[in-house]
Amino acid sequence: MIEAQNLTKTYGAKTAVNDITFTVRPGIVTGFLGPNGAGKSTTMRMIVGLDRPTHGSVTVNGRHYADHSSPLHEVGALLDAKAVHTGRSAENHLLALAATHSIPKRRVHEVIELTGLQSVARKRVGGFSLGMGQRLGIAAALLGDPQTLILDEPINGLDPEGVRWVRSLVRSLAAEGRTVLLSSHLMSEMAVTADHLIVLGKGRVIADAAVADVIGGAARASVRVRSPQASVLASTLASPDVTVTHVEHDLLTVTGLDAGAVGDLAARSGIALHELTPMNASLEEAYLQLTNDDVEYRTGSSARDLEVTR
Amino acid sequence: MTTETLKPASQAPRLRMPSAASTNRVRFPGILRSEAIKLRSLRSTVWSYAVLVLISLGLAALMAATLASSIEGQVPAEAQTAIVMQVSSFPVALGQLVAAVLGVLFIAGEYGTGMIRSTLSSVPRRLPVLWAKSLVLFATTFLVGLVSTVGAYLIGSPLLAASDVAAPLTDPDVLRAVVGGALYLALIAVFALGVGTVVRSSAGGIAVVLGIILILPTVLQLIPADWAANMIPYLLSDAGLGGLGIESGTPGGLEPWQQLLVVLGWVVASLSAGAILMKRRDA
């Protein structure tokens, strides 16, 4: 259980995290989302005491991280895959971390095996690929068999098998009743891995809800319509509550009407349809809508234009 | 939410730790062991210590040979001791630069690579890390320093004996040069560790420490004022090397124990500054 209360962090004039309050519950995977600079990493660093909050506080299982007698057993964190001395071997890196908690050597070899690093464990970390660096970071996070896991972009640079492995790992850890906080920019992965989402934007919590609610609440479902008379259909459908987008010359995306309503209108006007597909909003769409709104209100930037031209 | 294909049992992550969690607490002996692993698992430290020993032995041989060839006739006993002292501890004047670089790198290397975030996550109270680093660095540098100075004595003595210059290792002055030289190297390393903690950058830390050791004495000598001359004996390197028989006849005339106190003062100052900043700053 991670509890943040009015957590605030300012660097000089810049506010990275602005008075946020949230709870990360055990037994589920909580996804931590937000655009670059939204304050995710800063928040994660404050949880493990690397950064000191300007105001407010954050506790893990009721205590500040530094007040736990066995911090690595309490929280395993992958905050930055580069938090390793490049001149040291992976094995020695883990042995040095394990020694602080008198964690036996056996456990070090266990996490090396678990993360598939056996063949490179004695090589210097400086020569590691991004994916191997991530595996080492995950190995370090698992070292203390922690009750709470905090993983910042853990699948960054992993191969598909590694991505799948991380997914099943965090899901099984959560199933054991542990607390898992996970950040990722890959929405499709987040949609299948996380149960709950906390979305940050400009240092504030802009959503804190179950994944299904975020998708359902933020984005409107749309309908894909293919018709040889697409332009005629578009003008037939047009109304203030309906948005029609030309995707191709014969393909429209309609929001504001369900598939049945589109089909009925087309039939009434005698327009032939070649395809009529209801589209569920994806997490990515929901996320972009949430965060674009946030960006728009604050800076008036053209993030939404970018999305349209994409 | 899609259903997940479970991995076969043999490949399923083994997450439980075999030993009881209550025994795996952060304790100072563990932190000491951690820092010892860190020090010996970097090639740069191993090489630096090897270089320290090698230049000490080489310089001692060179100096003993040069001195032996320039000596004519019988040398008084007191002067013999002074010569042996110099040969044994002269390498320290160069070795201190290696010790200084080592001390800075031991902590600044962690800041430079990001390792410090792993370190401080595992020991979030932070200061025990600095104390453990100081102790490990002090002990290791002292031992390697002792190998260097005793080795310098052992290499220099036969060369000097050819010119009938000799003093036993057990002579109090020779012993002071040998043990004091190793002690000074160890203290310089810890001083540099404190500076490295403050500066958090390898290049910056090395520049500051070498500036204090090498440039500050020269600058003070160039200032034509009494206060500048009076400060010289209290400089880190002058106080440190003064007691070793290298800088003969220091004007301030501090006793060896006072010189040791001066060096300790520099070490305490840099470590305290490092500790305060390490505790206060974001990692």
Side-chain angles (χ1 to χ4, degrees):
Chain A
M1 177 98 90
I2 302 169
E3 288 163 289
Q5 273 289 332
N6 305 108
L7 199 58
T8 302
K9 180 70 186 180
T10 56
Y11 297 103
K14 188 182 175 294
T15 302
V17 174
N18 193 354
D19 193 30
I20 63 174
T21 299
F22 63 85
T23 301
V24 182
R25 282 172 292 132
I28 57 171
V29 176
T30 302
F32 209 30
L33 298 181
N36 293 334
K40 301 184 302 284
S41 295
T42 305
T43 303
M44 287 174 151
R45 289 157 56 83
M46 285 193 282
I47 296 172
V48 292
L50 289 175
D51 281 12
R52 187 188 300 261
T54 312
H55 295 294
S57 72
V58 58
T59 58
V60 180
N61 294 332
R63 283 188 190 184
H64 291 292
Y65 179 68
D67 293 337
H68 284 286
S69 60
S70 183
L72 287 186
H73 179 64
E74 219 53 61
V75 179
L78 165 75
L79 294 186
D80 181 351
K82 284 192 243 68
V84 181
H85 199 300
T86 43
R88 197 171 280 126
S89 74
E91 186 181 28
N92 281 323
H93 171 71
L94 294 171
L95 283 172
L97 292 182
T100 59
H101 283 56
S102 306
I103 293 170
K105 222 174 186 172
R106 192 176 58 232
R107 175 64 185 170
V108 169
H109 293 132
E110 228 170 72
V111 295
I112 286 174
E113 206 179 303
L114 193 64
T115 49
L117 286 172
Q118 299 96 317
S119 60
V120 292
R122 307 223 158 164
K123 299 224 167 80
R124 296 201 297 165
V125 177
F128 275 24
S129 66
L130 182 57
M132 286 195 285
Q134 289 287 5
R135 285 168 186 271
L136 178 57
I138 295 169
L142 294 175
L143 204 52
D145 187 22
Q147 274 308 305
T148 300
L149 242 98
I150 298 174
L151 304 173
D152 196 0
E153 300 284 344
I155 59 174
N156 211 357
L158 287 186
D159 52 21
E161 200 227 314
V163 171
R164 237 175 75 113
W165 177 77
V166 169
R167 191 195 308 156
S168 71
L169 174 75
V170 297
R171 295 223 51 86
S172 65
L173 286 167
E176 287 179 32
R178 302 181 202 230
T179 307
V180 180
L181 180 62
L182 178 80
S183 84
S184 174
H185 279 115
L186 292 176
M187 292 303 142
S188 52
E189 191 52 36
M190 198 57 110
V192 295
T193 309
D195 305 298
H196 192 91
L197 291 178
I198 295 173
V199 185
L200 290 190
K202 295 269 161 187
R204 288 179 179 278
V205 177
I206 53 179
D208 183 349
V211 173
D213 294 344
V214 170
I215 295 174
R220 289 193 293 173
S222 61
V223 182
R224 245 164 79 104
V225 197
R226 199 180 289 272
S227 165
Q229 296 149 276
S231 306
V232 183
L233 179 62
S235 48
T236 310
L237 297 174
S239 93
D241 296 335
V242 179
T243 315
V244 181
T245 318
H246 269 275
V247 183
E248 289 164 27
H249 71 281
D250 64 343
L251 186 63
L252 305 175
T253 306
V254 182
T255 40
L257 288 173
D258 63 15
V262 173
D264 290 349
L265 275 169
R268 232 171 282 152
S269 316
I271 298 171
L273 296 186
H274 292 176
E275 181 190 344
L276 183 60
T277 315
M279 307 283 286
N280 283 322
S282 68
L283 176 59
E284 183 168 356
E285 286 162 345
Y287 165 81
L288 285 172
Q289 192 175 327
L290 269 174
T291 51
N292 277 350
D293 286 351
D294 185 67
V295 169
E296 221 169 37
Y297 290 139
R298 277 158 211 286
T299 63
S301 84
S302 54
R304 181 160 278 166
D305 301 338
L306 282 174
E307 192 200 0
V308 169
T309 56
R310 190 160 44 97
Chain B
M1 195 72 35
T2 60
T3 47
E4 187 55 68
T5 321
L6 286 174
K7 293 194 149 206
S10 61
Q11 287 176 34
R14 275 174 298 143
L15 299 160
R16 295 269 165 233
M17 263 215 304
S19 48
S22 58
T23 60
N24 297 313
R25 290 164 171 265
V26 186
R27 290 219 173 80
F28 194 66
I31 303 172
L32 270 181
R33 232 177 315 124
S34 170
E35 292 304 329
I37 292 171
K38 285 188 199 167
L39 189 65
R40 69 160 182 260
S41 61
L42 285 183
R43 280 189 215 169
S44 57
T45 33
V46 175
W47 277 106
S48 300
Y49 279 124
V51 163
L52 178 58
V53 173
L54 286 177
I55 61 169
S56 298
L57 302 186
L59 278 174
L62 194 68
M63 192 177 178
T66 311
L67 284 173
S69 65
S70 65
I71 289 168
E72 284 167 20
Q74 185 61 37
V75 178
E78 207 170 297
Q80 289 188 23
T81 307
I83 290 172
V84 172
M85 274 177 81
Q86 276 198 24
V87 167
S88 309
S89 62
F90 175 70
V92 171
L94 248 128
Q96 65 175 342
L97 306 181
V98 179
V101 170
L102 258 169
V104 170
L105 288 183
F106 195 30
I107 183 94
E110 291 209 17
Y111 279 104
T113 56
M115 176 68 198
I116 193 73
R117 291 192 286 278
S118 294
T119 301
L120 297 184
S121 304
S122 54
V123 187
R125 290 187 183 277
R126 298 189 177 188
L127 290 190
V129 171
L130 189 58
W131 310 143
K133 274 191 190 296
S134 304
L135 279 176
V136 166
L137 190 65
F138 179 85
T140 312
T141 312
F142 181 74
L143 285 177
V144 174
L146 213 51
V147 169
S148 304
T149 53
V150 171
Y153 171 86
L154 293 177
I155 277 195
S157 288
L159 294 167
L160 292 171
S163 302
D164 289 326
V165 172
L169 188 56
T170 47
D171 180 290
D173 282 336
V174 175
L175 208 55
R176 194 179 76 223
V178 166
V179 177
L183 183 64
Y184 174 65
L185 287 176
L187 289 173
I188 281 284
V190 177
F191 169 78
L193 177 76
V195 173
T197 312
V198 172
V199 178
R200 297 196 287 188
S201 131
S202 300
I206 290 169
V208 169
V209 175
L210 295 191
I212 289 172
I213 293 177
L214 293 177
I215 299 169
L216 204 53
T218 317
V219 169
L220 285 185
Q221 270 162 10
L222 288 175
I223 298 174
D226 283 348
W227 62 264
N230 291 340
M231 276 173 70
I232 290 174
Y234 297 95
L235 293 179
L236 179 58
S237 46
D238 285 71
L241 298 175
L244 305 176
I246 298 167
E247 317 262 304
S248 49
T250 340
L254 293 181
E255 296 292 317
W257 65 270
Q258 291 172 316
Q259 290 168 325
L260 178 60
L261 279 184
V262 169
V263 174
L264 282 175
W266 281 88
V267 172
V268 168
S270 94
L271 263 192
S272 311
I276 290 168
L277 290 173
M278 190 188 214
K279 187 82 184 170
R280 215 187 268 167
R281 286 193 292 215
D282 289 339

